[in-house]
Amino acid sequence: MDDRFGPDAGLHRQMYEEVGPRIAAGPWHWFHWLFARGPSRPFVANLILACVECELKLPGLGWALIRDVASISGREKNEADYESLLQKLSEIFVLRQLLVLPWPEGTTFAHEPAAGPGGKRPELKAETNDALYLFEVKAPSLLSHQRSRSENPVQFPGRMFEGAMRKMMAGDQKPILPRDNPVKDFLMSAEAKFAPFAGEKSVYGILIVVWDDFIYEPITSLVHEASKGLLTAETFARNGDGTPITFPHVDAVFLIRHLMYFQQGAAETLTERRHAFDFGGERDLPNVHVPVPGGKEVPGFIRAGLRALQFDDEQLQNFADYRPQEFIMWFNT
């Protein structure tokens, strides 16, 4: 291990020496090829560095995260394991970024805290003198959906068309259907985890969803009124009595477009970022902030730290990838 990892190279080395042999030569692991080639491979080095930074901010967290990565193994080329790894990488990526935000002096952190015995556990709690900030990090299973995008030229990102109309519009093609149910599940999970913390302090509930480059998909699922978006009055998510399902303890959703960088980084084909755990800078494509109607306004330092513009910001309207979509036809060129 060289000194490019700075004064924490010793901890970096310790993490690699514990998990590296397990991943490289233990039960089959999706990252075994990378770890077998040493700790200086960009993906390996920056994965461990992200865990080191988490460990320095919240002792015990970095070790837990890197051990989780090592434990997702044993089933050769199992896609469910690969998607579990993408979820874990998303947690590491987002937690590291949250922990290094310019929090007020005296802020304390807890990983997977519970409001009471046996309670549901959000990903992270940050507590300041006057507020609690709760974060839940999610990433969808997208492998089969990504294949569908490459194979099928017709996509319906939302629910604005009934089945018969979709069939007529798609013709002989097999259309790509919305991926809004995972977004609904993420919101419901976050609501269930945040609600028990309601108390005397002001509580901010923030859901962070890591998606791939097709960021219009979750935007459409959340805010497109004709598509019965989940944060609109016409939401498709309904209780048994027909009333809308709402999320009173979720104040905002942040959409982070990064899954493809993990996939490309692990394949060593990444060109758009310095490495797979680079959160990006002002010249990079932004992430998206979607306020929940009726929710509290998330402080600016969090929005800025997550590099997020509001979904209806004028700067995003020139990019089709950031606008809600009704119907898409892909043409191979």
Side-chain angles (χ1 to χ4, degrees), residues 149-263:
R149 292 198 203 111
S150 66
E151 296 168 357
N152 304 313
V154 176
Q155 181 177 16
F156 295 98
R159 299 190 178 213
M160 61 285 296
F161 303 112
E162 298 296 333
M165 178 62 73
R166 288 201 302 266
K167 186 174 181 179
M168 182 186 74
M169 294 172 69
D172 295 333
Q173 306 294 334
K174 181 181 178 181
I176 308 164
L177 298 177
R179 289 288 289 161
D180 49 16
N181 276 320
V183 181
K184 180 194 73 173
D185 293 343
F186 295 162
L187 278 165
M188 294 180 68
S189 175
E191 172 66 23
K193 291 181 178 182
F194 297 161
F197 287 86
E200 294 183 5
K201 277 190 175 182
S202 182
V203 179
Y204 292 80
I206 299 168
L207 170 63
I208 300 176
V209 179
V210 183
W211 209 267
D212 65 8
D213 287 0
F214 295 75
I215 201 73
Y216 63 83
E217 293 175 343
I219 295 173
T220 301
S221 299
L222 290 169
V223 303
H224 198 305
E225 292 187 1
S227 181
K228 303 179 181 178
L230 289 154
L231 300 182
T232 70
E234 300 303 318
T235 174
F236 73 87
R238 300 278 163 169
N239 295 300
D241 61 0
T243 58
I245 295 175
T246 59
F247 314 98
H249 297 94
V250 181
D251 295 298
V253 181
F254 285 85
L255 305 171
I256 311 296
R257 50 178 302 163
H258 202 87
L259 282 182
M260 282 188 170
Y261 298 147
F262 292 140
Q263 294 172 287

Side-chain angles (χ1 to χ4, degrees), residues 26-97:
W28 197 91
H29 197 288
W30 279 98
F31 300 154
H32 70 95
W33 184 89
L34 292 162
F35 274 80
R37 277 149 185 81
S40 294
R41 297 305 279 201
F43 184 87
V44 175
N46 288 289
L47 165 58
I48 296 178
L49 185 58
C51 292
V52 167
E53 292 177 351
C54 288
E55 182 67 20
L56 295 173
K57 291 291 185 178
L58 184 53
L61 176 58
W63 280 108
L65 293 170
I66 197 63
R67 287 165 178 158
D68 285 346
V69 170
S71 71
I72 303 171
S73 63
R75 300 186 292 181
E76 186 169 351
K77 297 183 180 178
N78 182 274
E79 289 194 349
D81 287 350
Y82 185 74
E83 290 178 323
S84 293
L85 282 166
L86 291 178
Q87 167 71 38
K88 185 58 60 176
L89 297 181
S90 298
E91 293 171 16
I92 295 168
F93 179 70
V94 171
L95 287 172
R96 188 268 304 272
Q97 188 69 11

